[in-house]
């Protein structure tokens, strides 16, 4: 098994995962990624998922690799370029755990601990006005038709 890997910069190693992880290749892929994890090299590894299909075996593999990387003091981020791959990772609750990003640049920022910027602030120019924080007198009560679902509902008498 051979995985394409390269150094993004001195601190980031990128490993491309270009095939679907299944029972036949799971252990070989895991061994290869673990072999690429250095003991004292880059501070971060970015796994670039190049396939839209993420199997449960792929999710388990990513979690095991993340655990091994953290034991070595290396942070990990995942690039999921396909919408379906990001949806699977989000539905599995791994969006924050694996530091999922849609681009390589986003994964680089996430591996450093940066949070993704909202779209509005990304397009803002220096000196642009930003929205003011909510007033202190504003209610923190949830709004909307289902905001008070914890309260019992009784039919109204006519």
């Amino acid at each position: 098994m051979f995985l394409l890997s390269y150094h993004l910069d001195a601190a980031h190693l990128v490993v491309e995962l270009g095939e679907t992880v299944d029972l036949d290749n799971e252990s070989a892929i895991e061994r290869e990624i673990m072999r690429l994890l250095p003991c004292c090299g880059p501070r971060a590894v970015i796994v670039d998922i190049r396939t839209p299909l993420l199997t449960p075996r792929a999710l388990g593999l990513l979690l095991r690799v993340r655990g091994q990387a953290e034991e070595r003091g290396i942070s990990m981020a995942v690039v999921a370029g396909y919408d379906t791959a990001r949806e699977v990772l989000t539905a599995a609750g791994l969006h924050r755990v694996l530091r999922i990003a849609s681009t390589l640049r986003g994964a680089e920022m996430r591996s450093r601990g940066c949070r993704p910027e909202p779209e509005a602030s990304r397009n803002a120019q220096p000196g642009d006005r930003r929205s003011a924080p909510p007033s202190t007198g504003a209610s923190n009560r949830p709004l909307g038709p289902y905001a008070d679902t914890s309260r019992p509902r009784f039919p109204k008498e006519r």
Side-chain angles (χ1 to χ4, degrees):
M1 172 68 40
F2 176 74
L3 297 176
L4 180 63
S5 65
Y6 56 92
H7 287 275
L8 189 61
D9 55 25
H12 293 87
L13 172 71
V14 178
V15 178
E16 291 184 358
L17 183 58
E19 57 186 89
T20 303
V21 178
D22 58 15
L23 182 61
D24 296 332
N25 63 6
E26 177 183 16
S27 61
I29 290 173
E30 185 173 357
R31 275 193 311 271
E32 181 69 15
I33 293 176
M34 297 313 288
R35 185 185 66 78
L36 291 171
L37 284 181
C39 62
C40 55
R43 295 186 322 254
V45 64
I46 298 172
V47 178
D48 189 359
I49 299 173
R50 300 276 181 148
T51 178
L53 179 62
L54 281 181
T55 62
R57 294 208 175 264
L59 299 179
L61 170 82
L62 290 171
L63 287 172
R64 286 191 304 275
V65 168
R66 177 188 168 266
Q68 291 289 326
E70 283 190 351
E71 285 178 7
R72 297 180 186 190
I74 301 169
S75 68
M76 182 177 140
V78 175
V79 176
Y82 290 95
D83 290 337
T84 53
R86 280 193 307 276
E87 288 172 8
V88 167
L89 290 163
T90 302
L94 301 176
H95 191 72
R96 289 187 178 156
V97 173
L98 293 176
R99 297 181 180 133
I100 307 301
S102 58
T103 63
L104 198 55
R105 175 75 176 138
E108 178 187 358
M109 297 300 288
R110 303 262 326 198
S111 71
R112 293 181 180 162
C114 300
R115 297 180 68 196
E117 294 179 332
E119 189 67 33
S121 67
R122 243 182 277 157
N123 297 333
Q125 299 294 324
D128 282 353
R129 293 189 61 135
R130 299 183 187 219
S131 62
S135 65
T136 56
S139 170
N140 289 336
R141 189 171 159 258
L143 302 175
Y146 304 106
D148 291 330
T149 56
S150 62
R151 294 183 179 175
R153 306 264 184 203
F154 298 106
K156 293 183 180 182
E157 294 181 22
R158 293 184 186 187

